[in-house]
Amino acid sequence: MDYSEYLALKELYDATNGDHWNWSTDYKHKGVPWVFDDFAKNNPCQAMWQGLFCDNFQCPDTGCRLFSMDLRALNLSGTLPSFDGKFKGMLYLTLSENNLHGHLPTISEMPSLQTFNVSYNQLSGQIPDTFYNFKELYLLYLSNNKFEGTVPPS
């Protein structure tokens, strides 16, 4: 993982009260809780942070590619920060079954995004039309929130 993705994870952690997330204690199978102390010694892909999945087989000098984030039912609360251009290699993004509120942030420059799941939160406002630009997106879960309007046509 490169440093810009690490900083974006820190921003997400801080914005959603990461100190109060409900981590699994099954570190062997689920990975370890997130700790932002020293990127060089605690790279999320190499340290196997919970909820993050990286392509560890083809790692360029900048680090392994983060391709999946599954933070379902970890007690995330607060509003989501912008994802605009921060996770360019993301394929699967799941933030469902938490206590997120507010509007969906700007979500762009994820050209390979296939699944986006924010169901079962308290998100509100209009459904952004940016989903129209995701050519690979085939699963979009927005149910059980307080959105207005309809899903933009694909």
Side-chain angles (χ1 to χ4, degrees):
M1 165 180 306
D2 68 26
Y3 192 64
S4 66
E5 283 185 325
Y6 177 82
L7 292 176
L9 291 175
K10 174 77 167 120
E11 183 181 12
L12 173 65
Y13 183 87
D14 290 342
T16 59
N17 296 302
D19 290 339
H20 300 285
W21 291 3
N22 293 330
W23 297 113
S24 170
T25 56
D26 183 5
Y27 302 147
K28 181 178 179 181
H29 296 102
K30 301 279 186 173
V32 298
W34 298 10
V35 176
F36 296 93
D37 56 0
D38 183 351
F39 176 69
K41 294 180 182 176
N42 196 19
N43 183 304
C45 288
Q46 295 165 344
M48 297 181 58
W49 284 9
Q50 285 187 29
L52 302 181
F53 302 93
C54 302
D55 180 357
N56 290 324
F57 298 105
Q58 298 178 11
C59 300
D61 293 338
T62 57
C64 302
R65 182 177 66 100
L66 176 64
F67 72 87
S68 180
M69 186 184 314
D70 187 347
L71 303 179
R72 160 191 357 222
L74 289 181
N75 195 39
L76 281 69
S77 61
T79 59
L80 292 171
S82 172
F83 290 128
D84 196 20
K86 294 181 180 172
F87 300 108
K88 294 182 180 182
M90 189 69 64
L91 299 175
Y92 312 102
L93 181 56
T94 300
L95 304 170
S96 62
E97 301 173 50
N98 284 295
N99 297 304
L100 300 170
H101 61 272
H103 293 62
L104 277 178
T106 303
I107 302 167
S108 66
E109 296 183 47
M110 290 188 209
S112 303
L113 188 66
Q114 296 175 15
T115 301
F116 182 79
N117 185 350
V118 292
S119 61
Y120 294 93
N121 280 288
Q122 288 90 46
L123 296 166
S124 59
Q126 293 291 320
I127 298 170
D129 61 2
T130 56
F131 292 113
Y132 178 75
N133 298 322
F134 293 99
K135 304 300 181 203
E136 302 295 322
L137 187 66
Y138 65 90
L139 294 174
L140 177 63
Y141 296 105
L142 302 173
S143 64
N144 293 290
N145 280 290
K146 301 173 183 176
F147 291 120
E148 299 170 8
T150 59
V151 177
S154 57

